[in-house]
Amino acid sequence: MTTSSFLFPASPPSAALLRRCFFRGSWLSSKIHHRLPRVVNDSTRTEVSIEKSEADKLVDKIDFGELCNDFECTSSPQVESTARQLVRDILEIREGNRAFACYAVSVRYKDPVRSFTGREKYKRPMWITSGLESPTVTIQEMVMLSTSVLRIKWTLKGKPKSFLAAVSGNLIVKVKSEFTLNQISGQVIEHEESWDLSSSSPIAQAYFWTSRRLFAASESTKDFVDVTKDLTTSLTARKEDNTEIYRDPTDPTKYFQRDDSMERDVYQIALFLAVVYFVVQFLKNTL
């Protein structure tokens, strides 16, 4: 080694050499990067699957018919919406939280021991929860008989709330519910039920009919009380509104009131007829 080479450093690398080293390092880095295995955290991936309810599965099988053709519409999508809600109410044995909007204000209900008119009565407790212990419901059939008539066949099962439960066994009631729907609004305008107790023991059947008639009699009493209150309120309001006082033309200091005894007689007769009607209904349900 010479003195000059020791005292003076080697010449700096050229720009071309630096560029070659830089790009070679970048190329090598990219190769290494691409060769590294790709790690994916699958634990953060969640598959969301919405399971349809039993009510929705039943309604999906229904053929609602052709709602509209080239000339007219025979029904509305509200009919399908009402059908879904009705089967949910039956499956879940809903009482206070049932969908009352599905029923028309003047809906008519009928079964072998009771009949009534009015949506408000659907807000009352049902016999199922008051007469059976841990009741369960299963749906056997749900079909549209026409564009406005829905039929649901379902089975009610539970132990009677009575000392007879030990010997009667489970009460099994096969129910056929038919709903007549308004084709425009989809609301229920008629509701009729029939019962088949052939799968229950004679003791369970006797318990069912006795308790159902007592329940119907109790509901008829509530109906009578409601009608009496409504009639009394209406009579009081009408009396206050129709109070007419006139001045005596012969004596300006005197006043007289129009005689409304005829109107009072009419209301009393109507109240008497209402009492007779509900007494007859009570006897019919209990005898």
Side-chain angles (χ1 to χ4, degrees):
M1 180 181 296
T2 61
T3 305
S4 60
S5 64
F6 176 78
L7 294 176
F8 298 98
S11 61
S14 63
L17 179 61
L18 289 175
R19 282 196 300 270
R20 284 197 299 270
C21 291
F22 174 78
F23 285 112
R24 183 177 297 174
S26 300
W27 174 82
L28 182 60
S29 175
S30 63
K31 287 293 184 182
I32 294 174
H33 174 74
H34 286 296
R35 288 177 181 176
L36 288 175
R38 188 177 181 182
V39 179
V40 179
N41 186 8
D42 291 334
S43 62
T44 59
R45 294 183 179 180
T46 57
E47 294 183 0
V48 179
S49 59
I50 301 176
E51 183 69 21
K52 286 189 176 182
S53 65
E54 185 177 351
D56 289 332
K57 292 178 181 178
L58 288 169
V59 176
D60 289 342
K61 297 178 182 178
I62 296 179
D63 181 12
F64 287 92
E66 186 180 2
L67 300 182
C68 295
N69 54 29
D70 295 337
F71 301 98
E72 63 177 354
C73 289
T74 59
S75 188
S76 73
Q78 296 299 325
V79 171
E80 180 177 350
S81 176
T82 299
R84 292 183 186 275
Q85 193 58 58
L86 289 174
V87 73
R88 286 192 187 98
D89 290 346
I90 292 175
L91 279 172
E92 299 176 12
I93 315 179
R94 293 181 177 178
E95 285 187 319
N97 61 339
R98 72 168 65 187
F100 296 103
C102 292
Y103 299 90
V105 176
S106 57
V107 58
R108 294 187 297 273
Y109 172 85
K110 182 181 180 182
D111 64 36
V113 298
R114 174 165 166 74
S115 61
F116 63 79
T117 301
R119 179 171 61 187
E120 292 298 317
K121 295 180 177 63
Y122 280 92
K123 296 181 180 180
R124 296 177 183 175
M126 298 188 299
W127 173 86
I128 295 177
T129 53
S130 62
L132 295 179
E133 191 75 34
S134 302
T136 59
V137 169
T138 55
I139 304 291
Q140 279 72 50
E141 182 187 55
M142 186 175 181
V143 62
M144 290 294 296
L145 302 179
S146 67
T147 55
S148 61
V149 179
L150 170 67
R151 184 179 68 193
I152 303 177
K153 290 184 178 180
W154 50 286
T155 300
L156 171 66
K157 184 177 181 180
K159 287 186 175 296
K161 286 185 178 180
S162 171
F163 65 92
L164 298 174
V167 293
S168 65
N170 285 329
L171 175 66
I172 302 174
V173 185
K174 296 179 181 179
V175 185
K176 182 175 70 174
S177 301
E178 288 192 4
F179 302 91
T180 302
L181 311 177
N182 183 296
Q183 295 186 0
I184 304 301
S185 66
Q187 290 183 317
V188 179
I189 56 178
E190 290 184 8
H191 176 195
E192 185 172 354
E193 288 192 352
S194 59
W195 307 318
D196 178 10
L197 288 88
S198 58
S199 300
S200 301
S201 66
I203 298 177
Q205 293 184 32
Y207 168 80
F208 173 81
W209 289 112
T210 302
S211 61
R212 284 294 307 200
R213 285 189 170 90
L214 290 175
F215 180 81
S218 174
E219 292 299 304
S220 296
T221 303
K222 294 178 184 178
D223 294 343
F224 171 70
V225 172
D226 291 343
V227 170
T228 304
K229 287 182 179 179
D230 294 341
L231 190 59
T232 303
T233 303
S234 176
L235 179 60
T236 303
R238 189 177 180 86
K239 184 177 180 180
E240 292 176 355
D241 294 339
N242 293 340
T243 301
E244 298 179 3
I245 300 176
Y246 301 92
R247 179 177 295 178
D248 188 351
T250 60
D251 187 355
T253 61
K254 293 183 179 180
Y255 296 87
F256 65 92
Q257 185 175 351
R258 182 174 63 88
D259 184 16
D260 57 352
S261 58
M262 180 64 181
E263 188 173 347
R264 286 198 303 270
D265 292 341
V266 171
Y267 278 104
Q268 289 176 359
I269 293 173
L271 181 60
F272 173 75
L273 293 177
V275 172
V276 172
Y277 171 78
F278 283 106
V279 169
V280 171
Q281 292 296 319
F282 177 81
L283 295 176
K284 184 188 297 184
N285 292 326
T286 54
L287 297 180

